[in-house]
Amino acid sequence: MLKKNLRKNNILGNLRIYRRSLIYQTKEFFQNSTLHGVRYIAETGRPAGEKFLWFCLTSMGAVTALIIIMSLWEKYQTNPTITGLDTDFENKNVVFPTTVVCPKHVFDYNKSYEMALNKLANSDAAIAEKILPFLELLPSLSHESFNATEAMAKSLDVKGIKDLTLRQLAFASAISCEDALKECKYRDELITCCEHFQPLYTEYGFCFGFNSRFESTETEDIKAGPPDVLYETDKKWALFITPSKDAKVFLFSNEEYFGKDFGPRIEWSEGEMVEVRITKKNTFTTDDARLLTIGQRKCIFHDEIKLKYFPDEYTFSSCMKDCRMTKAVSACHCSPPFYRPVDNVKICGIDDLSCLRNAWPNITNIKECIQCELGCSKTVFNIEKLIKKEVADTPGILVEFLTWPIIRYKREVLFGWVDLLVSFGGIASLFLGFSLLSGVEIIYYFTLRACCMVFENRQELYEIEQRIKNKPPPPINMSLRMQSYKAPIVVTENDPLVVVEMSSLNRSNDKPPDYKDIGGRIRKAEKDYSTFAKSLYKKPKTLPSYINSTNSSWEYGHYLP
């Protein structure tokens, strides 16, 4: 117990010594600091009014600098980039936009009936007829048709149909490209439609895409060949297609993955002629922006993040699709049929339709995919002119560039970390005279220097602590009258502090008191205190002494500050 108390007292003693060292170093810092106006706050002998004035000025400078620095920091965090026109490039060729045609009716009755009769119903025509309405819904399966598809699946009691996935059933009952497209022209030249349009199984159902980056098969989504490009010397920068049935047409960049994030740009009906004039806007980001965070530049480079199900390269559409796939697999432990098949994840079957129907509102909730940002390289195709003729001699859809793309946008860093550092230094130096070495100096004074003083000058700190501890408090005068003292300054050799010897004033009882200051100047009556207060700023101040020179005893009394 005794050792514990000794240890506790030793710790408390060290803390008191370290506190005294910090107080001493604080005074040293204020007297020797290079910060503007700080030395006058703690300088000995300065009037209290002057100290308060410098404290206010220094505080105002610090607050103003802090406000400006915070505004610069907010600018660096929210708007450090700028987007402008880039004219220093050669646009020799242009990748034609991906054009996806999604027919409204993609069910092939003959092919579906043959498959249902031979593979599912064991040559029973009655059972095959019951299966056909269910197969008709699968090629156009989407989140809007999950309810009807699930209700239709509950009425089926066929063992063979449960052995196949929904994707296999959809491919077995979908129409072919030859049944979906009649005629195609590219650059005003006839082309074979099905050599350039790949089948796509998407969230909108079965579609056929021109210049798509991938094509769908029953077992996987494979990467397509190189994209089709236009040259400035081509006689026509256009694609003309004639669908066999009513269809929706989507236009987007070849860099993107087609999905629910794209809305239909054109709705075509049989017999119509639709002419679409488009323009291209491409935005790229310089490599200097890689030094910024994703939140600052508000875009992601194509090789910066590897997605779980689309690891090839990052785009906004692939990120959104990856997010929906992740939520679907997590909720139902299977992948919906219109998403790309991936390893180690089974494709949903008939028994999983109920789970997909219940989980789909959460799967399509974009608020849970807020981590997806736009790509730093992005191409957008805008429709500048749309002409629709309900009755035409040559019905079809014409997608054509209005003008040759000669404009590109560049996103570059406007306010980087170097600019931020320079701005911080300029503001801090202007208002406070602060620099990086000033910060090092502050750390030095209150850490290394204070600790070294505790070890090297411990005895001196003990003496200062003991002298302050033994110093009696000033007595309290309960009189309402003001008193003053004449006190010449006396400096002793042993005590480094200035000791002021107080002498009592000689007063007579029959006349009012008169007070004399250090210089011998006669003041007015004690009620005229304003003149006396002003004189404090003109004459050197005196410090009181509690020791009488004759008997070395303590004397108590009020003294002027």
Side-chain angles (χ1 to χ4, degrees):
M1 186 67 180
L2 181 61
K3 291 183 178 180
K4 184 177 181 180
N5 292 335
L6 291 175
R7 190 183 302 110
K8 183 177 180 181
N9 293 334
N10 188 24
I11 294 174
L12 293 176
N14 290 334
L15 291 177
R16 283 195 295 268
I17 293 300
Y18 183 69
R19 172 179 169 272
R20 180 55 51 192
S21 176
L22 286 177
I23 295 173
Y24 183 85
Q25 295 302 330
T26 301
K27 186 175 181 181
E28 287 288 317
F29 172 76
F30 272 80
Q31 290 179 347
N32 301 316
S33 176
T34 57
L35 299 179
H36 298 334
V38 170
R39 67 178 65 181
Y40 306 118
I41 298 176
E43 187 173 357
T44 305
R46 292 281 176 184
E50 184 179 347
K51 292 182 178 181
F52 180 73
L53 176 63
W54 279 107
F55 174 78
C56 292
L57 293 176
T58 305
S59 300
M60 290 173 59
V63 171
T64 306
L66 182 62
I67 292 174
I68 297 177
I69 286 175
M70 291 302 296
S71 65
L72 292 174
W73 177 257
E74 184 179 2
K75 177 183 177 182
Y76 175 71
Q77 291 294 331
T78 58
N79 194 24
T81 61
I82 186 174
T83 303
L85 290 176
D86 179 35
T87 57
D88 187 18
F89 77 101
E90 295 182 2
N91 199 3
K92 296 181 179 180
N93 53 66
V94 173
V95 177
F96 197 83
T98 299
T99 305
V100 177
V101 180
C102 296
K104 292 184 179 180
H105 303 285
V106 290
F107 176 65
D108 190 327
Y109 178 85
N110 295 328
K111 187 169 66 172
S112 301
Y113 182 79
E114 183 181 353
M115 189 268 296
L117 183 65
N118 297 328
K119 293 184 180 181
L120 302 177
N122 293 325
S123 302
D124 190 335
I127 298 178
E129 289 292 338
K130 291 181 179 180
I131 297 175
L132 285 178
F134 173 74
L135 296 179
E136 185 178 358
L137 296 175
L138 294 182
S140 57
L141 183 65
S142 66
H143 67 281
E144 298 175 353
S145 61
F146 272 137
N147 291 333
T149 307
E150 184 200 6
M152 191 71 66
K154 288 181 179 179
S155 63
L156 295 177
D157 189 14
V158 180
K159 296 182 179 180
I161 201 171
K162 294 185 178 181
D163 297 333
L164 301 176
T165 64
L166 295 176
R167 187 179 180 93
Q168 291 173 329
L169 295 173
F171 271 85
S173 55
I175 62 174
S176 62
C177 176
E178 289 78 8
D179 296 331
L181 301 173
K182 292 181 181 179
E183 182 183 359
C184 300
K185 286 184 180 181
Y186 182 56
R187 294 183 290 192
D188 204 26
E189 296 179 359
L190 285 173
I191 60 173
T192 303
C193 294
C194 296
E195 290 182 0
H196 294 79
F197 280 83
Q198 294 85 23
L200 303 173
Y201 192 24
T202 71
E203 291 167 306
Y204 289 99
F206 243 84
C207 304
F208 300 91
F210 173 82
N211 211 19
S212 176
R213 67 181 303 170
F214 70 95
E215 63 177 294
S216 301
T217 65
E218 187 177 314
T219 56
E220 60 179 344
D221 283 355
I222 60 177
K223 192 171 182 179
D228 290 291
V229 298
L230 292 175
Y231 298 93
E232 195 172 2
T233 56
D234 292 333
K235 59 181 179 180
K236 199 166 187 178
W237 311 317
L239 171 69
F240 177 79
I241 51 178
T242 304
S244 301
K245 302 176 181 179
D246 296 352
K248 296 179 180 179
V249 179
F250 301 80
L251 299 174
F252 54 91
S253 171
N254 177 262
E255 302 170 352
E256 303 288 346
Y257 282 89
F258 180 57
K260 185 177 171 57
D261 310 292
F262 300 95
R265 310 299 294 271
I266 308 164
E267 292 195 7
W268 181 84
S269 300
E270 290 188 59
E272 288 184 342
M273 177 61 189
V274 179
E275 297 182 7
V276 183
R277 303 289 189 270
I278 61 174
T279 57
K280 175 185 176 182
K281 292 183 179 179
N282 174 255
T283 303
F284 79 100
T285 306
T286 59
D287 288 337
D288 294 341
R290 291 180 182 268
L291 299 176
L292 303 174
T293 63
I294 295 175
Q296 288 176 294
R297 61 176 182 260
K298 297 180 178 60
C299 72
I300 300 176
F301 286 93
H302 67 92
D303 58 347
E304 191 171 14
I305 292 179
K306 297 295 183 182
L307 299 174
K308 184 176 182 179
Y309 299 116
F310 298 89
D312 299 336
E313 77 180 57
Y314 177 89
T315 62
F316 175 75
S317 58
S318 63
C319 180
M320 295 295 291
K321 206 167 183 180
D322 186 90
C323 178
R324 292 193 292 271
M325 285 185 64
T326 302
K327 291 191 288 184
V329 173
S330 176
C332 300
H333 306 288
C334 65
S335 176
F338 39 71
Y339 289 148
R340 65 183 302 180
V342 293
D343 297 335
N344 302 323
V345 177
K346 73 169 187 175
I347 300 175
C348 295
I350 293 179
D351 295 335
D352 301 310
L353 283 172
S354 178
C355 177
L356 292 175
R357 178 183 62 83
N358 296 328
W360 200 252
N362 179 57
I363 293 173
T364 55
N365 186 8
I366 62 174
K367 292 182 179 180
E368 298 186 9
C369 301
I370 57 176
Q371 75 278 6
C372 294
E373 292 281 356
L374 294 176
C376 288
S377 178
K378 183 175 178 62
T379 303
V380 177
F381 294 93
N382 295 327
I383 296 178
E384 300 293 336
K385 186 182 294 186
L386 178 63
I387 302 173
K388 181 179 288 189
K389 300 177 183 179
E390 295 184 357
V391 179
D393 297 334
T394 55
I397 303 170
L398 177 66
V399 180
E400 184 178 11
F401 275 100
L402 184 64
T403 59
W404 182 253
I406 57 175
I407 297 177
R408 186 171 64 165
Y409 296 93
K410 177 172 65 174
R411 183 190 290 114
E412 55 188 343
V413 177
L414 175 66
F415 196 73
W417 69 271
V418 176
D419 304 291
L420 183 70
L421 183 63
V422 171
S423 300
F424 281 3
I427 295 300
S429 178
L430 176 63
F431 288 96
L432 297 173
F434 186 87
S435 65
L436 290 178
L437 289 180
S438 299
V440 175
E441 188 179 36
I442 293 174
I443 299 174
Y444 163 72
Y445 264 98
F446 296 104
T447 55
L448 181 62
R449 185 162 173 147
C451 294
C452 289
M453 187 176 184
V454 171
F455 291 100
E456 295 184 2
N457 304 91
R458 179 180 290 268
Q459 186 61 34
E460 182 181 350
L461 292 174
Y462 273 126
E463 292 176 359
I464 296 175
E465 187 73 20
Q466 192 68 22
R467 187 164 60 247
I468 294 175
K469 183 178 180 181
N470 295 333
K471 182 178 180 180
I476 300 175
N477 185 7
M478 302 301 294
S479 175
L480 299 178
R481 298 182 62 188
M482 183 181 65
Q483 299 180 9
S484 63
Y485 299 87
K486 180 176 69 176
I489 300 177
V490 179
V491 180
T492 63
E493 297 180 357
N494 297 329
D495 195 345
L497 300 175
V498 177
V499 180
V500 180
E501 182 181 356
M502 300 294 296
S503 62
S504 61
L505 296 175
N506 296 324
R507 295 185 182 180
S508 60
N509 297 328
D510 56 350
K511 63 178 181 179
D514 292 332
Y515 306 110
K516 296 183 179 181
D517 59 5
I518 298 171
R521 183 165 59 88
I522 300 177
R523 294 198 182 100
K524 295 181 181 180
E526 61 183 8
K527 63 180 180 180
D528 190 5
Y529 183 70
S530 62
T531 305
F532 167 69
K534 294 178 182 178
S535 69
L536 293 177
Y537 295 90
K538 299 179 181 179
K539 297 297 181 179
K541 297 181 66 177
T542 60
L543 300 176
S545 175
Y546 299 96
I547 304 177
N548 190 304
S549 59
T550 58
N551 52 13
S552 299
S553 61
W554 292 101
E555 291 183 355
Y556 303 98
H558 270 287
Y559 56 89
L560 293 176

